[in-house]
């Protein structure tokens, strides 16, 4: 213990528990008879003193924390920050170049949460660590960078940590550091399997070497119990070059060669199409109203989130898709309306003046006025202006009128619903929807794009680049679907143009068959239509 085991934790209680646990391990299997020779030599103390080995301090913050600071922290802040000097604490270790092994289960904490109770530390991490220099990172990436800096050249690091940094933007800096040093030695990827009971985390085992590696072992542990029992899992050797550059998507076993072939295709969905988020009103509960029915004179009967019924003018309402599950090859059926106080002109959305709203839609204006206090108070008063009844974020307001595909972000498989009815929807981040349309319409049909995206082939690619969720669900967010390879058409080539027409005709048939299936009532009709859908 004294010669080989060291530890640091910011929690003093954790330090004491660790020392006790290690000392109990020393006594395991011992008795008075086996300890008698030691008692004779050391009557005052049989067990070693681990105070110099297991230390209390902040693993990430050293004495350089005070550089450039005019004043020292007050006592309470200094106690919380708990600056720790690794070199001074373990001088004999660093005299030999560092630790032979660094192991740990670092904390998983988003920096947005840390800003509330540790703003000083957050700013220091941003200045001190490359992995924390950009965006809203998770603190575990900083622990990886720190762990690497503590290793001697021949050393090994092993952490259990979320695999989200493989694909997340905040993980880019850490991925580049690991790739630059070719540190990857071994990865055990647990996918959506849950290692920790009582907490939903998507983890992996990450093993890094202090010396450059030509390749690394990648294990996909889909059977967690089998992996724990030592049973063989899907695995393979991956060249170090595959961990360079962008996101980490490692594929081993059956399908790996196909995936690499597809990844070499030059055009991706992000190159060929606009992928746009849904509306961000900052007050969906106020702007989104349940549809109750249509009324004469251009009015609509709606119900607000408090259960109150209103009769509003159709002029400033948009059909709205709200937390509904969509299906491929079936037009979504909206059950809500969106209060949309804008006029669209030349691909721009202009906020309608309050006087015009009062004149043209008095009932809609009355509804907005009834919620004025809440609307003005959005996001700490950002909307407390003369435009209080408009959205805070006006991004993409003019995109929803055009034909598009609507993609469901969290799904077991790809769901891309065609929309030719100018539906509006909410979204962003993890959902619930994104919109997709060709960047330049040219001759490519939206239905051709749907045929590609709904294929098993592109779902195969998606499931190898995306983040898994419990229950067999996957993320179809923008940063994943934009990587899908897209086969565009050369319309000057008659055979190529014929392929496009063939795809469009098949998708059109699917849309028609799904529409008829939804309307069918007799079991034999449904069965016949389903057979034709399967064949198509």
């Amino acid at each position: 213990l004294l010669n080989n085991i060291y530890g640091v934790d910011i929690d003093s209680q954790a330090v004491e528990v660790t020392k006790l646990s290690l000392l109990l391990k020393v006594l395991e299997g011992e008795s008075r008879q086996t300890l008698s020779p030691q008692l004779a030599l050391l009557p005052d103390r049989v067990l070693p003193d681990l105070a110099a080995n297991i230390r209390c301090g902040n693993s990430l913050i050293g004495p350089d924390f005070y550089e450039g600071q005019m004043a020292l922290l007050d006592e309470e802040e200094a106690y919380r920050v708990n600056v720790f000097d690794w070199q001074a604490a373990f001088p004999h270790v660093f005299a030999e170049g560092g630790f032979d092994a660094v192991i740990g289960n670092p904390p998983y904490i988003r920096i947005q949460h840390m800003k509330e109770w540790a703003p000083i530390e957050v700013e220091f991490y941003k200045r001190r660590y490359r992995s924390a220099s950009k965006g809203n990172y998770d603190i575990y990436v900083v622990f990886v960078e720190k762990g690497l800096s503590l290793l001697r050249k021949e050393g090994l690091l092993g952490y259990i940590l979320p695999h989200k940094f493989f694909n997340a933007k905040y993980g880019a800096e850490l991925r580049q550091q690991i790739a630059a040093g070719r540190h990857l030695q071994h990865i055990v990827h647990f996918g959506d399997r849950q290692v920790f009971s009582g907490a939903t985390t998507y983890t992996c085992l990450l093993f890094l070497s202090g010396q450059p590696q030509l390749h690394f072992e990648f294990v996909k542990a889909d059977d967690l119990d089998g992996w724990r029992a030592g049973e063989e899992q899907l695995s393979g050797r991956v060249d170090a070059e595959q961990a360079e550059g962008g996101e980490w998507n490692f594929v081993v076993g059956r399908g790996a060669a196909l995936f690499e072939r597809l990844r070499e295709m030059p055009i991706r969905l992000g190159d060929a199409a606009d992928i746009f988020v849904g509306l961000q009103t900052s007050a969906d509960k106020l702007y989104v109203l349940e549809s109750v029915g249509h009324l004469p004179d251009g009015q609509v009967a709606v119900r607000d989130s408090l259960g109150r019924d209103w009769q509003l003018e159709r002029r400033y309402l948009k059909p709205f898709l709200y937390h509904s599950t969509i299906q491929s090859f079936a037009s979504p059926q909206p059950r809500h309306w969106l209060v949309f106080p804008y006029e669209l002109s030349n691909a721009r959305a202009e906020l309608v003046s309050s006087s015009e709203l009062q004149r043209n839609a008095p009932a809609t204006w009355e509804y907005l006025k009834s919620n004025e206090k809440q609307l003005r108070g959005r996001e700490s008063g950002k909307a407390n202006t003369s435009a209080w009844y408009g959205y805070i974020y006006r991004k993409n307001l003019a995109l929803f009128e055009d034909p598009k595909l609507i993609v469901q972000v969290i799904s077991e498989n790809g769901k891309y619903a065609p929309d030719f009815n100018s539906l509006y929807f909410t979204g962003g981040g993890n959902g619930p929807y994104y919109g997709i349309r060709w960047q330049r319409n040219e001759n490519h049909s939206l239905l051709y794009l749907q045929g590609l995206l709904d294929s098993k082939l592109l779902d195969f690619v998606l499931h190898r680049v995306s983040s898994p969720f419990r229950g067999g669900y996957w993320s179809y967010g923008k940063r994943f679907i934009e990587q899908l390879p897209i086969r565009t058409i050369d319309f000057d080539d008659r055979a190529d143009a014929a392929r496009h027409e063939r795809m469009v005709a098949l998708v059109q048939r699917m849309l028609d068959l799904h529409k008829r299936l939804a309307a069918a009532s007799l079991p034999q009709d449904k069965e016949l239509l389903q057979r034709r859908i399967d064949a198509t």
Side-chain angles (χ1 to χ4, degrees), residues 91-323:
H92 53 293
V93 172
F94 291 96
E96 297 185 27
F99 290 98
D100 296 296
V102 174
I103 63 171
N105 172 17
Y108 316 157
I109 309 172
R110 292 289 291 182
I111 213 66
Q112 298 97 308
H113 301 310
M114 284 192 68
K115 285 177 180 177
E116 298 174 9
W117 49 270
I120 299 173
E121 294 95 307
V122 168
E123 283 304 309
F124 174 77
Y125 300 148
K126 192 172 183 179
R127 295 193 310 270
R128 172 66 178 77
Y129 292 98
R130 181 178 159 191
S131 57
S133 60
K134 295 178 182 176
N136 291 319
Y137 58 93
D138 195 301
I139 194 69
Y140 69 82
V141 298
V142 185
F143 273 88
V144 179
E145 182 177 345
K146 183 64 181 181
L148 273 172
S149 74
L150 300 175
L151 276 184
R152 62 184 302 185
K153 188 178 179 182
E154 301 81 7
L156 293 173
L157 175 147
Y159 279 171
I160 182 167
L161 75 179
H163 51 64
K164 188 174 181 180
F165 86 92
F166 285 23
N167 305 102
K169 284 184 178 179
Y170 70 73
E173 290 294 333
L174 179 60
R175 293 196 301 271
Q176 288 174 16
Q177 286 182 65
I178 293 173
R182 297 204 167 185
H183 294 297
L184 274 179
Q185 191 199 55
H186 194 110
I187 294 172
V188 180
H189 196 289
F190 296 119
D192 64 340
R193 304 304 188 267
Q194 297 303 301
V195 175
F196 298 108
S197 60
T200 301
T201 53
Y202 302 96
T203 54
C204 70
L205 299 181
L206 179 72
F207 298 96
L208 304 178
S209 170
Q211 293 182 314
Q213 304 292 302
L214 295 177
H215 22 66
F216 59 93
E217 189 77 9
F218 184 78
V219 179
K220 205 166 183 298
D222 289 329
D223 179 0
L224 191 57
D225 291 335
W227 173 80
R228 282 179 170 139
E231 295 175 11
E232 190 172 333
Q233 303 291 305
L234 182 64
S235 64
R237 178 178 279 192
V238 181
D239 289 338
E241 289 89 349
Q242 290 194 31
E244 294 176 355
E247 299 181 3
W248 287 357
N249 300 305
F250 307 128
V251 179
V252 292
R254 186 171 177 265
L258 174 61
F259 176 76
E260 290 305 320
R261 246 185 102 189
L262 290 166
R263 197 153 65 165
E264 291 173 2
M265 289 183 65
I267 299 175
R268 309 293 175 92
L269 183 63
D271 304 318
D274 288 322
I275 306 170
F276 56 94
V277 298
L279 294 174
Q280 294 169 287
T281 68
S282 297
D284 281 358
K285 286 187 176 180
L286 302 179
Y287 285 109
V288 180
L289 303 165
E290 183 185 355
S291 176
V292 177
H294 287 270
L295 298 170
D297 302 323
Q299 290 194 319
V300 176
V302 295
R303 184 168 295 133
D304 66 18
S305 60
L306 298 176
R308 299 175 299 182
D309 289 336
W310 299 79
Q311 294 182 9
L312 305 184
E313 295 83 2
R314 172 68 177 82
R315 179 168 180 173
Y316 296 111
L317 299 179
K318 298 291 185 182
F320 197 75
L321 195 61
Y322 194 56
H323 297 302

Side-chain angles (χ1 to χ4, degrees), residues 286-287 289 299 302 308 310-317 339-342 351-373 375-376 378 383 385-390:
L286 302 179
Y287 285 109
L289 303 165
Q299 290 194 319
V302 295
R308 299 175 299 182
W310 299 79
Q311 294 182 9
L312 305 184
E313 295 83 2
R314 172 68 177 82
R315 179 168 180 173
Y316 296 111
L317 299 179
V339 179
F340 189 81
Y342 294 89
L351 185 66
V352 178
S353 67
S354 57
S355 58
E356 192 175 343
L357 272 174
Q358 292 175 66
R359 183 171 62 254
N360 296 329
T364 302
W365 178 251
E366 181 188 349
Y367 171 76
L368 290 169
K369 286 289 289 183
S370 71
N371 294 292
E372 181 175 358
K373 182 178 179 182
L375 291 172
R376 284 187 180 275
R378 280 174 291 164
T385 66
S386 59
W388 58 267
Y389 53 93

